[in-house]
Amino acid sequence: MKSILEAIENNADTKAFAALQIPESYRAAVVRKDEQEMFTGVASADKDPRKSVHIQEVPVPQIAPDEALIAVMASSINFNTVWSSIFEPISTFSALTRLARESELAKRHDLPYHIMGSDASGVVLRVGSAVRNWKPGDRITVHCNHVDDQDPTSHNDSMLGSNQRIWGYETNFGGLADLSVVKANQLMPKPEHLSWEESAVNALCNSTSYRMLVSPNGAHMKQGDVVLIWGATGGIGAYATQYVLNGGGIPVGVVSSADKAEILRGMGVEAVIDRRAGNYQFWKDANTHDEKEWRRFGGDIRALVGEDPDIVFEHPGRSTFAASMYVAKKGGTVATCAATSGYMMEFDNRYFWMRLKKLVGSHFANYREAWEANRLISKGMIHPVLSQVFDLNQTGDAAYQVHKNMHEGKIGVLCMAPREGLGINNPEFREKVGEKNLRHFRRS
Ligand code: NAP
């Protein structure tokens, strides 16, 4: 590992990287199959990733012809790290077992441990015999869409592929580790003006928000659209907010504290709703909606921007979904990619059909969309929303923060990178982009 790190820090050439010896094992953040029942009977909110996430040495897997072995300099915590580590809504080991049925090499994934992590920045160490566009020494980020390009169903929109998976969640060998195995068609160039940890936090959330809002596969936002964004300083919400501002839309950002409201204002969002201060009670009890509260919420949006949202960026799920469907403008679109507070949704269909609204289900992004989203980061038009940086050994603590909604933006995780701030190889462009734009979410 030491010689790999030296080669990375010295910007060694392809030949030098190809000559490096690959170690037999590496450090990884895992959950364990024999612990998948450990939280049985425990309430969701009390399931603690600090108990289930372990750091352990694992053997380096063989790579397939279409794969690359990468050195991971940094990774990030995503909400799927939380889902894996609390074994909800199901244990991810069932996904690994299903994947293992697909081919001889896929059997590698079915292990008693699951290496988590669906983001990474780093350097290519080895490529399989079928890889054409990447070589050892390339500095990369990784998007998490894991598709079989020999499957015909992947060839219109790869997110529709019958065996599309999320790397590091539904596959093994994820990014919260010192090394990782990825398909070559997950690789994207690392933005040159960013550090390893700034480069590592974007791909999953940024690409998801791009597809949900900008892509024709999502809400296809246009100039002037009013967009209601739940969790507007959270992982996906913070990128959504930037897309709305960038694309000439009018964001209405919902957050749950004065500090988060301040971050939004600093980004240039004028219409901000603090849901905690507003104390919206969309449910009277676990089974009864309160329509008056939907109206009150809609009234507050109108008071801020003078009209109803053309688009609602929805992901909290059960607690907010009915309100989202209600407040969307006549003919408007609700785009949803998640259900953090519960996935059994209910809404009043009268306000949906009579007002001719649309509901769009969205999930991550295809390679093209992820590439476009990464390009915008590289051009300094969308910025990382890194708030804190943890070490790989603290993955459980970092996942705990996200589970408990104690964070803003994204939490980065240093893997092979020995400290923050490394990996910037275009300081002139960084200066042009501006430190202020890169630090909106930083706590220190
Ligand atoms: P995050 O960083 O935790 O941010 C989510 C934000 O949503 C929180 O900061 C919180 O903001 C708000 N929120 C949480 N519970 C809420 C509730 N009951 N009512 C209203 N607002 C609530 O998580 P994330 O990375 O943005 O991910 C959000 C969800 O999307 C997760 O469920 C995740 O699994 C999912 N996701 C799906 C995909 C996909 O491809 N399908 C991709 C990425 C993420 P405030 O407290 O400030 O309001």
Side-chain angles (χ1 to χ4, degrees):
M1 289 295 177
K2 198 163 161 269
S3 48
I4 293 174
L5 192 56
E6 277 169 12
I8 294 171
E9 287 183 336
N10 296 332
N11 279 324
D13 61 14
T14 303
K15 214 167 136 210
F17 270 100
L20 285 172
Q21 205 177 341
I22 303 299
E24 284 181 1
S25 68
Y26 64 105
R27 195 176 52 134
V30 306
V31 286
R32 294 180 183 152
K33 195 170 193 171
D34 62 3
E35 292 185 346
Q36 60 184 333
E37 304 296 339
M38 70 190 290
F39 295 131
T40 305
V42 178
S44 232
D46 298 329
K47 295 180 181 175
D48 190 340
R50 294 172 300 185
K51 294 186 179 147
S52 55
V53 176
H54 305 281
I55 307 300
Q56 70 181 51
E57 281 289 305
V58 295
V60 176
Q62 177 194 358
I63 56 168
D66 62 345
E67 289 178 342
L69 177 72
I70 61 166
V72 183
M73 294 299 274
S75 181
S76 92
I77 304 297
N78 280 295
F79 215 92
N80 70 9
T81 323
V82 176
W83 297 129
S84 303
S85 64
I86 63 172
F87 306 104
E88 279 201 22
I90 50 163
S91 160
T92 45
F93 285 96
S94 53
L96 304 184
T97 308
R98 272 198 306 281
L99 169 55
R101 290 190 206 118
E102 285 187 3
S103 70
E104 237 355 87
L105 273 167
K107 287 186 183 145
R108 289 169 302 167
H109 292 262
D110 194 8
L111 293 165
Y113 54 85
H114 183 187
I115 306 168
M116 304 177 297
S118 302
D119 268 322
S121 67
V123 176
V124 174
L125 296 177
R126 291 283 184 276
V127 291
S129 55
V131 176
R132 296 182 308 279
N133 299 336
W134 304 94
K135 57 187 187 321
D138 284 346
R139 294 154 70 98
I140 46 84
T141 60
V142 178
H143 75 77
C144 62
N145 184 15
H146 184 277
V147 282
D148 177 355
D149 59 15
Q150 292 177 27
D151 176 352
T153 61
S154 304
H155 281 269
N156 195 354
D157 169 10
S158 61
M159 286 308 297
L160 298 178
S162 55
N163 52 8
Q164 182 280 330
R165 291 185 168 84
I166 298 296
W167 160 74
Y169 179 64
E170 295 162 297
T171 79
N172 219 321
F173 317 125
L176 284 161
D178 287 336
L179 302 180
S180 181
V181 175
V182 300
K183 284 186 182 274
N185 62 16
Q186 289 177 250
L187 296 172
M188 308 188 292
K190 174 191 169 293
E192 293 190 332
H193 64 297
L194 300 180
S195 65
W196 294 113
E197 62 279 5
E198 288 166 344
S199 306
V201 297
N202 307 305
L204 189 146
C205 285
N206 181 35
S207 313
T208 301
S209 300
Y210 180 90
R211 179 176 174 116
M212 266 177 97
L213 275 184
V214 182
S215 167
N217 288 318
H220 211 180
M221 189 194 87
K222 63 180 189 325
Q223 292 184 39
D225 278 351
V226 172
V227 183
L228 176 72
I229 305 163
W230 289 104
T233 60
I236 51 175
Y239 293 99
T241 300
Q242 295 184 65
Y243 280 114
V244 179
L245 289 166
N246 252 8
I250 302 164
V252 181
V254 186
V255 287
S256 64
S257 72
D259 287 350
K260 290 180 177 180
E262 212 35 57
I263 294 176
L264 277 187
R265 292 201 179 91
M267 293 169 78
V269 179
E270 288 172 13
V272 178
I273 294 179
D274 181 340
R275 68 181 169 100
R276 197 155 290 169
N279 193 27
Y280 303 103
Q281 303 292 327
F282 299 134
W283 290 86
K284 287 183 187 159
D285 57 48
N287 297 307
T288 323
H289 292 277
D290 190 344
E291 200 178 312
K292 282 202 309 299
E293 286 292 274
W294 306 344
R295 285 210 183 90
R296 181 164 75 88
F297 182 56
D300 289 349
I301 296 169
R302 284 185 187 175
L304 285 169
V305 292
E307 51 189 313
D308 296 329
D310 297 276
I311 298 170
V312 181
F313 185 85
E314 164 63 42
H315 52 92
R318 186 168 173 84
S319 61
T320 57
F321 191 72
S324 295
M325 294 294 274
Y326 176 80
V327 299
K329 186 179 283 180
K330 197 167 184 180
T333 301
V334 176
T336 176
C337 74
T340 313
S341 65
Y343 51 78
M344 291 304 285
M345 325 283 228
E346 280 173 23
F347 63 95
D348 188 331
N349 198 18
R350 292 169 300 173
Y351 299 111
F352 183 62
W353 96 71
M354 292 297 287
R355 296 184 185 173
L356 303 104
K357 301 179 187 182
K358 290 179 277 298
L359 175 61
V360 176
S362 192
H363 185 41
F364 188 60
N366 60 37
Y367 197 7
R368 178 68 186 253
E369 289 160 339
W371 190 279
E372 290 296 332
N374 187 57
R375 173 176 168 268
L376 291 168
I377 300 262
S378 295
K379 289 193 161 299
M381 296 169 77
I382 295 286
H383 308 298
V385 296
L386 180 70
S387 57
Q388 302 174 73
V389 181
F390 284 66
D391 185 80
L392 181 64
N393 292 329
Q394 303 166 304
T395 300
D397 299 286
Y400 177 79
Q401 288 229 359
V402 175
H403 183 29
K404 291 291 186 185
N405 196 16
M406 293 156 70
H407 69 300
E408 300 90 28
K410 294 283 306 175
I411 294 184
V413 176
L414 295 180
C415 299
M416 283 189 70
R419 58 184 183 283
E420 290 181 42
L422 303 174
I424 300 165
N425 54 355
N426 192 342
E428 297 79 22
F429 185 56
R430 186 181 178 93
E431 205 181 316
K432 197 168 162 208
V433 169
E435 239 13 86
K436 183 172 166 278
N437 286 321
L438 300 173
R439 297 190 70 87
H440 273 303
F441 285 77
R442 288 311 295 257
R443 285 193 177 176
S444 55

